């Protein structure tokens, strides 16, 4: 465990199994320096337990950095449930997951991520108070995806301002990979401003729904890297900026909601070398956790959420400007800022 390549001084990594329901889950707590660790739960049909562990380690570190960059009083954690979200879900499984969270006594708060929806989280909440992203209850914040998408839309404009000299997106060609919850709402914002959308997804129904609302052009999932576009917006899964895909991109900006977009940190340097401005994923996609943080605080306020979103976009702008001024990759500047913020919160 301590030698795992994705291990980054995580405070705790917890493995849970419930034979009766079939639950196998990992909850990784990267840091609680700024407050309780918060981060969503992902349900994914990993090929091996090692892949599930790697995801939990990387994603929880990402949440620490994300929460720090969103200026939230939260640390970073993440849960992964190993299973098929289309066939393996049950009430018993999410109850067992809720009991697992409760054993951590508030060190970790969960919410939705890929494969998990608000009804699943509702079942989890029957067993633990350390849960957010609910659609009922006094402070319920519901699905975080619309706020995530709003932050990405505003972040794309911040990138465009620097890459093209104008944040205007009318007639800009934007390639969107993944039009699920986040990608779908994002397309609505972009289309409303008159952007020309090219979309790809493995889910035909999602594609058709977005095309009918926005007039987007559909391409095959494997072709999204090759399209002529100004901006590439990844909103599906991680590690999609890699040595195979990067040379194919013709865009000047990469800005999207997917977590852990860079397959390796070295890819951040390669992106810069190609003259592409990359919005660090955990900065630009912080809108969702801001929405969740409002719920964790005990009193949901839309005004507070929008205020934090404004600060987030300012922070993204600072990252981009510092990177451009210092000729550094943007991910490096963001990592440094995040680590500084976490270190500053540690008791001395
Ligand atoms: P989702 O499951 O609703 O959507 C993901 C979409 O990607 C689906 O439509 C899926 O069919 C598609 N997809 C999967 N593999 C693909 C492939 N190879 N090519 C093209 N499309 C593919 O998930 P979501 O909530 O929209 O999250 C999307 C990404 O954003 C994830 O990486 C997630 O971790 C991240 N994220 C989500 C939130 C949020 O608020 N939901 C917040 C921050 C980050």
């Amino acid at each position: 465990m301590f030698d795992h390549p994705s291990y980054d001084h995580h405070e705790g990594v917890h493995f849970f199994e419930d034979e009766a329901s079939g639950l196998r889950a990992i909850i990784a707590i990267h840091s609680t320096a700024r407050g309780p660790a918060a981060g969503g739960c992902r349900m994914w049909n990993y090929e091996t337990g090692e892949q599930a562990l790697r995801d939990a380690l990387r994603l929880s570190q990402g949440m620490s950095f994300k929460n720090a960059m969103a200026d939230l009083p939260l640390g970073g954690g993440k849960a992964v449930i190993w299973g098929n979200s289309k066939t393996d879900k049950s009430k018993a499984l999410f109850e067992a997951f809720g009991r697992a969270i409760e054993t951590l006594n508030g060190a970790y708060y969960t919410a939705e991520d890929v494969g998990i929806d608000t009804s699943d989280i509702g079942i989890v909440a029957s067993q633990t108070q350390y849960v957010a992203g609910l659609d009922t209850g006094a402070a319920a914040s519901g699905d975080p995806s619309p706020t995530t998408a709003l932050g990405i839309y505003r972040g794309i404009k911040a990138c465009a301002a620097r890459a093209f000299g104008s944040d205007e997106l009318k007639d800009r060609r934007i390639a969107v990979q993944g039009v699920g919850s986040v990608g779908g709402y994002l397309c609505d914002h972009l289309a409303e401003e008159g952007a020309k959308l090219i979309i790809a997804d493995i889910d035909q129904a999602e594609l058709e729904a977005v095309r009918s609302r926005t007039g987007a052009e559909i391409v095959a999932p494997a072709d999204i890297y090759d399209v002529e576009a100004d901006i590439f917006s990844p909103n599906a899964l991680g590690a999609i900026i890699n040595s195979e895909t990067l040379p194919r991109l013709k865009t000047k900006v990469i800005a999207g909601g997917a977590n852990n977009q860079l397959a390796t940190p070295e890819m951040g340097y390669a992106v810069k070398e190609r003259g592409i401005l990359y919005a660090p994923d955990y900065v630009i996609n912080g809108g969702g956790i801001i929405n969740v943080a409002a719920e964790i605080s005990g009193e949901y306020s839309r005004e507070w959420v929008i205020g934090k979103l404004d600060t987030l976009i300012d922070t993204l702008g600072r990252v981009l400007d510092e990177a451009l001024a210092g000729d550094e990759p943007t991910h490096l500047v963001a990592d440094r800022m995040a680590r500084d913020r976490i270190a500053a919160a540690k008791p001395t």
Side-chain angles (χ1 to χ4, degrees):
M1 178 67 229
F2 294 106
D3 299 326
H4 193 285
S6 299
Y7 181 71
D8 175 50
H9 307 288
H10 288 66
E11 288 178 16
V13 184
H14 307 263
F15 295 78
F16 296 94
E17 175 156 15
D18 178 66
E19 267 192 288
S21 66
L23 174 77
R24 283 184 298 181
I26 304 172
I27 299 177
I29 295 179
H30 178 256
S31 168
T32 57
R34 293 176 59 90
C41 171
R42 171 170 296 191
M43 186 163 185
W44 193 255
N45 210 2
Y46 298 100
E47 277 170 25
T48 64
E50 200 281 329
Q51 284 180 6
L53 174 62
R54 186 180 55 179
D55 231 14
L57 291 173
R58 291 178 60 186
L59 294 169
S60 60
Q61 183 208 42
M63 287 311 302
S64 274
F65 285 17
K66 184 188 302 196
N67 292 339
M69 292 304 266
D71 195 30
L72 298 172
L74 297 172
K78 196 88 182 184
V80 299
I81 294 177
W82 186 3
N84 186 328
S85 64
K86 301 247 192 290
T87 54
D88 295 342
K89 285 186 180 181
S90 69
K91 184 165 173 279
L93 181 128
F94 288 111
E95 285 172 347
F97 180 57
R99 289 195 298 276
I101 292 171
E102 189 65 17
T103 65
L104 299 174
N105 289 319
Y108 168 70
Y109 277 79
T110 202
E112 298 89 352
D113 189 41
V114 175
I116 299 290
D117 60 34
T118 49
S119 68
D120 305 327
I121 289 295
I123 303 171
V124 176
S126 70
Q127 305 296 316
T128 179
Q129 58 185 302
Y130 306 115
V131 55
L134 297 170
D135 50 13
T136 56
S141 62
D143 180 4
S145 307
T147 310
T148 304
L150 179 60
I152 294 161
Y153 165 64
R154 293 185 55 191
I156 287 177
K157 288 175 77 69
C159 291
R162 280 136 183 114
F164 308 116
S166 161
D167 75 351
E168 178 73 46
L169 298 179
K170 188 169 182 327
D171 293 331
R172 286 247 170 262
R173 288 177 61 81
I174 306 181
V176 181
Q177 178 182 50
V179 290
S181 305
V182 172
Y185 289 116
L186 173 66
C187 285
D188 292 339
H189 287 296
L190 297 171
E192 199 176 321
E193 199 181 321
K196 300 267 177 281
L197 301 178
I198 305 104
I199 59 174
D201 200 296
I202 53 172
D203 185 322
Q204 206 57 33
E206 299 278 21
L207 282 172
E208 290 302 339
V210 172
R211 171 158 66 183
S212 70
R213 296 201 305 271
T214 66
E217 176 192 337
I218 295 175
V219 297
D223 296 340
I224 193 72
Y225 308 103
D226 304 308
V227 298
E228 294 289 342
D230 302 301
I231 296 167
F232 173 56
S233 182
N235 298 282
L237 293 166
I240 42 75
I241 304 172
N242 55 51
S243 54
E244 197 269 316
T245 59
L246 183 61
R248 294 162 57 188
L249 287 182
K250 301 179 180 76
T251 65
K252 285 272 166 242
V253 170
I254 300 174
N259 283 311
N260 295 98
Q261 292 169 29
L262 302 174
T264 60
E266 290 71 39
M267 292 313 299
Y269 291 87
V271 166
K272 184 183 90 66
E273 289 311 311
R274 282 185 67 85
I276 297 176
L277 188 63
Y278 165 64
D281 43 20
Y282 63 85
V283 185
I284 194 171
N285 73 14
I289 194 70
I290 289 174
N291 203 56
V292 167
E295 181 172 342
I296 293 175
S297 78
E299 195 185 341
Y300 185 84
S301 153
R302 191 67 193 162
E303 206 182 334
W304 182 88
V305 168
I306 296 300
K308 282 285 180 195
L309 213 52
D310 291 344
T311 308
L312 181 76
I313 300 306
D314 287 349
T315 302
L316 174 64
R318 283 221 304 282
V319 169
L320 300 177
D321 290 340
E322 199 174 312
L324 289 167
D327 196 27
E328 284 187 284
T330 53
H331 79 286
L332 208 65
V333 174
D335 285 3
R336 190 166 62 225
M337 241 185 236
R339 283 193 193 279
D340 285 352
R341 289 180 178 202
I342 294 165
K346 278 194 180 138
T348 46

